[in-house]
Amino acid sequence: MPTPKTIITYLVDGNPQGIKTVELSNWNGKALSIPRASLKEAKNRPETNQPALYFLFGEDENENKMAYIWEAENVIQRMADHDSKKEFWDTVVAFISTSNSLTKADVKYLEARAVDRAKKANRYILQNSTAPIPNNLPEFQQSAMEEFLQNVDLLISAMWYPILKEIEKAKIEKENMYYLNSRWSDAKWVYMEDGFLVLKWSSWPKEMVKSTIENERMAFRHRPILLEKGIIKEEWENIIFLSDYLFTSPSSASDIIVGRDTNWWIVWKDKDGKTLDENERKNLTS
């Protein structure tokens, strides 16, 4: 069972949407969150002038979560380059050492490991064109960096960017599983703390209703993206999930998979025939 943690968030200019620092008690690491519009204000902060692992976060025109992971010896200089060459991002989150003890070799190792974990978690569309290779740190230093990365995962998840967090497969057995079966479909998903996990091998007819195509609704826009990422494939008249995939809401998942307006709160049912609405929302008021 996870132990309680104390996380301290400091609003540098008193604005929740502005620059902030985030620290974990009894750890020599620190996160610095900088909105793209505040790069000039961050220029003179000491955290931006030392080796760091950093993440760029944003969305594309279809509201897909996008991210870029890299390392820098001077974050603010690198951000100036990204500001002119990368369009998708709106926030950078950089991780540094409060004792300025991270080396170039350390952050190169962290970068490679973070990219690898983000790919396995599959929560964001990574904009990294190449996969970095971990450099050969001494064994004791690798151990220290793995611990550092665990705390990065904790802090960045607490900041609502769970980019490194893999789905806990064991938890699937404990959470409510919901089903939708028909003659041509067999789909199932799990209601979890951070979203709605559609399970691998779920299938559904690929046909979309006319209004979805004409109005370019979510299924029309997002299915090609899932196909390109290899999350789904088309086989005969169906779409099939090739891996588990986490949606942020049942409605968005419904629009994308079913190809028409459907309320997953009421049409998907658990093994006892109860809807998600009955199990979750109505229980809050009973």
Side-chain angles (χ1 to χ4, degrees):
M1 184 175 180
T3 57
K5 304 286 185 182
T6 299
I7 295 175
I8 302 168
T9 300
Y10 174 65
L11 308 180
V12 172
D13 54 6
N15 178 9
Q17 281 72 50
I19 300 171
K20 60 176 73 76
T21 63
V22 184
E23 299 182 64
L24 181 65
S25 61
N26 300 317
W27 182 49
N28 70 339
K30 182 179 185 179
L32 179 67
S33 176
I34 308 171
R36 189 169 187 166
S38 301
L39 289 178
K40 289 182 180 179
E41 289 82 350
K43 186 175 181 180
N44 295 321
R45 292 198 62 84
E47 300 99 328
T48 64
N49 298 300
Q50 57 176 290
L53 168 71
Y54 69 88
F55 301 76
L56 302 182
F57 292 108
E59 293 184 347
D60 65 10
E61 65 276 7
N62 292 319
E63 300 180 2
N64 292 296
K65 294 180 179 180
M66 316 281 281
Y68 177 83
I69 304 171
W70 212 251
E71 54 79 24
E73 292 185 88
N74 185 302
V75 174
I76 205 67
Q77 288 182 2
R78 187 67 60 82
M79 289 308 102
D81 183 60
H82 291 328
D83 193 36
S84 62
K85 296 180 180 179
K86 293 189 181 297
E87 296 296 331
F88 76 91
W89 69 281
D90 52 41
T91 302
V92 56
V93 180
F95 288 87
I96 56 93
S97 166
T98 55
S99 58
N100 198 4
S101 59
L102 288 176
T103 66
K104 176 70 172 179
D106 291 336
V107 293
K108 289 288 289 182
Y109 180 90
L110 289 170
E111 171 203 3
R113 291 287 294 119
V115 169
D116 180 62
R117 288 185 56 171
K119 286 183 176 180
K120 290 178 180 177
N122 198 31
R123 292 173 180 262
Y124 286 73
I125 299 176
L126 286 186
Q127 297 302 289
N128 295 67
S129 57
T130 58
I133 300 173
N135 52 347
N136 293 319
L137 291 179
E139 185 177 4
F140 73 89
Q141 192 62 7
Q142 287 188 30
S143 179
M145 289 303 98
E146 290 295 331
E147 182 178 355
F148 191 96
L149 193 60
Q150 284 298 110
N151 287 328
V152 168
D153 179 17
L154 176 64
L155 276 190
I156 208 166
S157 295
M159 297 166 72
W160 300 102
Y161 299 113
I163 185 171
L164 304 180
K165 192 168 295 299
E166 287 192 68
I167 300 297
E168 298 179 49
K169 302 298 184 182
K171 203 170 184 181
I172 290 177
E173 303 300 324
K174 302 175 184 178
E175 298 281 353
N176 282 327
M177 187 175 292
Y178 291 82
Y179 305 85
L180 186 56
N181 304 105
S182 71
R183 183 179 178 186
W184 303 110
S185 66
D186 180 15
K188 56 181 72 74
W189 61 272
V190 181
Y191 184 50
M192 306 186 74
E193 292 177 350
D194 49 356
F196 303 81
L197 184 71
V198 176
L199 299 185
K200 184 178 180 179
W201 306 127
S202 291
S203 63
W204 194 266
K206 67 181 181 181
E207 183 180 3
M208 287 184 272
V209 298
K210 185 178 179 181
S211 61
T212 295
I213 299 172
E214 291 179 343
N215 297 312
E216 297 187 359
R217 291 182 177 169
M218 193 168 288
F220 181 84
R221 300 194 314 270
H222 284 247
R223 275 193 191 173
I225 296 170
L226 296 180
L227 281 165
E228 184 180 352
K229 290 178 65 180
I231 301 299
I232 63 174
K233 72 173 181 177
E234 293 183 351
E235 187 173 276
W236 299 100
E237 297 302 317
N238 280 14
I239 58 170
I240 299 173
F241 277 75
L242 299 178
S243 62
D244 300 336
Y245 191 76
L246 190 72
F247 289 92
T248 56
S249 76
S251 297
S252 63
S254 176
D255 290 346
I256 292 170
I257 296 172
V258 180
R260 58 184 172 83
D261 293 336
T262 305
N263 187 347
W264 274 25
W265 286 101
I266 60 174
V267 300
W268 286 65
K269 298 180 180 181
D270 65 14
K271 60 183 177 59
D272 297 319
K274 290 187 176 181
T275 65
L276 179 64
D277 185 67
E278 290 175 307
N279 284 333
E280 301 298 333
R281 297 201 294 196
K282 288 184 178 179
N283 281 344
L284 293 176
T285 58
S286 61

